[in-house]
Amino acid sequence: MKIKEKDLENILQDLKQLANQMGAKVRFERGDFKGGYCIIREDKIIVINKLSTLQKKVLILSSALKELGIDEVYLTPKLREIIEELSESS
């Protein structure tokens, strides 16, 4: 699936909203890391390198959400397809 650059920002916002609904905090930080999902003192946190490209941010967030478990959550078919496809390619 080819995602247009202009759509990536909207997808990123949708993924961040989904993460919040699932009880996970999304943080954009600087550092020498790629990012991903972790648990800190029972808090679900997804950390993403703020210097990453928009496409990489969407990829990391998709993979983290997949790891959190999206099977029981309602998603629009398009968003579910994006998460499934991107998390498989990472």
Side-chain angles (χ1 to χ4, degrees), residues 73-88:
V73 179
Y74 172 76
L75 300 172
T76 62
K78 181 176 180 166
L79 195 56
R80 185 171 298 277
E81 180 184 357
I82 289 168
I83 292 171
E84 293 288 339
E85 191 166 313
L86 289 178
S87 63
E88 288 174 8

Side-chain angles (χ1 to χ4, degrees), residues 2-85:
K2 181 71 176 155
I3 302 171
K4 296 178 182 173
E5 189 70 28
K6 65 180 183 177
D7 294 333
L8 284 174
E9 186 62 44
N10 291 333
I11 293 168
L12 184 63
Q13 295 305 319
D14 291 344
L15 293 174
K16 284 178 13 183
Q17 183 177 0
L18 175 61
N20 288 332
Q21 290 173 359
M22 295 175 72
K25 297 176 187 174
V26 179
R27 294 175 43 184
F28 294 89
E29 303 287 340
R30 267 187 184 195
D32 188 21
F33 63 93
K34 293 178 183 176
Y37 167 66
C38 62
I39 298 174
I40 300 175
R41 296 185 189 168
E42 299 178 16
D43 291 334
K44 299 174 188 173
I45 299 176
I46 300 169
V47 182
I48 300 171
N49 192 325
K50 73 192 297 184
L51 300 177
S52 295
T53 65
L54 194 53
Q55 184 174 2
K56 189 71 172 171
K57 290 175 185 176
V58 169
L59 178 71
I60 291 167
L61 192 47
S62 294
S63 295
L65 289 170
K66 178 83 172 178
E67 191 176 334
L68 262 170
I70 57 167
D71 294 334
E72 302 298 319
V73 179
Y74 172 76
L75 300 172
T76 62
K78 181 176 180 166
L79 195 56
R80 185 171 298 277
E81 180 184 357
I82 289 168
I83 292 171
E84 293 288 339
E85 191 166 313

